[in-house]
Amino acid sequence: MELTNKRKTIIISIIIFMLLAAVITLSVFVGLYAKDRHDKDRDIESFYQSAYYGLVGNFVDIENDLAKARVITDNKLLRQNLMKIDVNCNLASQNLQVFYANNEGMSNLMNFINQLGDYCGYLIKELEKGKSLTISQTENLNKMWGVSKEYGKLLNSLQDYAKDGTTLARLLGTSNEQFEDILSNIGNGSIEYPSLIYDGPFSDGILNREAKGIVGEEISADQGKVLVEKYLVGYDIENIEYSQDSVNRIDSYLYAVKLKGGRQCSVQIAKKGGLLLLMDLFHEVVEPSLTIEQCQKVAEQYCDSIGLKNMKAVWINNNQSNVYINMCYEQDGIVNYADMVKIKISLDTGEVIGYEGLNYAFNHVTRVYDTPIVSEEQAVLNVSAILDNIECRLVTIPWNVTAEKVAYEIVGELDGEKYFVYIDAYNGDELNVLRMIDSNQGDLLM
């Protein structure tokens, strides 16, 4: 009897010991998980803080240099001043891409940054030719200065929303009412600026509410990592870290990718089907050496490698460090401007270091075309006779909010500048006219 009681005591002691060990082990795992989660949240917040404060600083510098541009009279000093603005626009664009939201306000902000940088590049070339700024150009810079001040104030005010404990990662990385309140001042048209330089015709495209180009089954975050490897094949990946979900108009996964040499890359892919939406890789160009033709080939091969077929280069902009190429889906010999992706290529390594495919994601479908009633010859006759060096092709262009029109894109030259005239392929109406200001910096590929 005594032996039995001892055995019971031993068994109970063993059970208690095992339970205590399990509790301790579980506590350790929970603690490690909580610490790991805390570390990831801290890293994400640090990532967003760096981009946000960098963007605010960029706008401080942009506003300051635009203010100086109004009073500088020496062309050499003005050229240096405009170069600084151009550099800060490039940096601001990189910072903005970190928390680029799928809404009109952020799109307008990105357009402003890109167009201001392009306009400064155009003015720099004019000054290098020995010309002085015209009254109109000076007025444009003055308007852009006023706009930059407004944008700077709006961006700086985001800090007030983060004071109540809301992190910048939550504020800038997801769709929320506070952020939308700020962006409404940007997206409602209350801030206006002159139309200057396009990064290609119809580069804004149509962002429909329904993403027509997103197809396939929903994938997991781990399956997404495999696709990220595909999208970055040949980039010497060291680690791919899932960052967070994005709950904007396209549900997606965000990834932070570490490459050999310490380079960082961010990737966003759609949850449904895994389509690549955004990719941004910071790379400082040292010795640019590639030709435009080589970069175009890289862009075409990249589109093919990620599963985008029949993509045609329609616009190239070369800033002497990077080349920006707009690629559009071509079907039955017709270029569809709404189905556009934008690719950024380094001129020294030939790497794709930037990709934006939102327009393609929203708009790509197989189309059914009616036979044009207006012939190419008739369309050309509808264009002003003062245009020289006429070239023509069939395209679809965004029209109103959600529609498209089949049109003849007629490109001609006048006084050294290119004009794009769009003639309706079914009734011959002149639908739109675009002007490319900087014909030396960017080329249209026909």
Side-chain angles (χ1 to χ4, degrees), residues 210-226:
E210 176 190 359
K212 298 178 181 178
I214 300 297
V215 296
E217 300 294 325
E218 184 166 318
I219 62 173
S220 66
D222 286 337
Q223 289 173 319
K225 285 186 178 182
V226 177

Side-chain angles (χ1 to χ4, degrees), residues 38-97:
H38 175 73
D39 290 344
K40 286 184 178 179
D41 290 343
R42 184 186 59 195
D43 290 343
I44 292 172
E45 175 64 8
S46 176
F47 186 58
Y48 276 94
Q49 284 187 3
S50 176
Y52 169 71
Y53 289 112
L55 181 63
V56 171
N58 297 146
F59 264 85
V60 169
D61 292 337
I62 288 170
E63 187 272 329
N64 184 46
D65 287 327
L66 281 171
K68 293 177 183 178
R70 299 183 303 152
V71 297
I72 295 175
T73 57
D74 181 79
N75 277 8
K76 180 179 179 181
L77 184 59
L78 180 57
R79 190 168 69 248
Q80 294 173 349
N81 179 268
L82 293 173
M83 286 179 179
K84 290 170 62 180
I85 297 173
D86 190 20
V87 169
N88 270 296
C89 284
N90 284 325
L91 294 174
S93 178
Q94 293 173 11
N95 284 322
L96 185 59
Q97 288 180 20

Side-chain angles (χ1 to χ4, degrees), residues 206-275:
I206 309 172
L207 297 183
N208 291 323
R209 292 183 179 180
E210 176 190 359
K212 298 178 181 178
I214 300 297
V215 296
E217 300 294 325
E218 184 166 318
I219 62 173
S220 66
D222 286 337
Q223 289 173 319
K225 285 186 178 182
V226 177
L227 288 175
V228 171
E229 290 181 353
K230 172 186 174 182
Y231 297 145
L232 295 177
V233 64
Y235 281 73
D236 291 329
I237 298 173
E238 283 191 353
N239 184 53
I240 301 174
E241 189 75 27
Y242 160 75
S243 297
Q244 64 185 59
D245 287 12
S246 174
V247 291
N248 286 310
R249 284 184 291 171
I250 299 178
D251 290 343
S252 55
Y253 296 118
L254 303 178
Y255 298 90
V257 183
K258 183 179 180 181
L259 307 180
K260 289 185 179 178
R263 295 195 299 168
Q264 301 290 330
C265 178
S266 57
V267 179
Q268 179 180 2
I269 66 173
K271 285 185 179 181
K272 187 177 179 181
L275 182 70

Side-chain angles (χ1 to χ4, degrees), residues 266-309:
S266 57
V267 179
Q268 179 180 2
I269 66 173
K271 285 185 179 181
K272 187 177 179 181
L275 182 70
L276 178 63
L277 301 176
L278 294 168
M279 186 269 278
D280 182 55
L281 166 62
F282 177 75
H283 174 76
E284 186 175 354
V285 177
V286 180
E287 296 182 1
S289 59
L290 272 68
T291 65
I292 294 296
E293 291 74 17
Q294 288 173 316
C295 291
Q296 179 187 345
K297 188 173 182 180
V298 169
E300 292 169 348
Q301 290 175 342
Y302 187 75
C303 284
D304 191 66
S305 71
I306 64 174
L308 304 188
K309 306 300 182 182

Side-chain angles (χ1 to χ4, degrees), residues 334-335 379 392-397 405-410 421-426 429 431:
I334 300 177
V335 173
C392 182
R393 66 178 170 189
L394 272 174
V395 300
T396 64
I397 62 174
K405 280 186 178 289
V406 179
Y408 288 98
E409 179 184 65
I410 300 169
V421 183
Y422 295 88
I423 303 296
D424 193 305
Y426 300 108
D429 288 347
L431 299 174

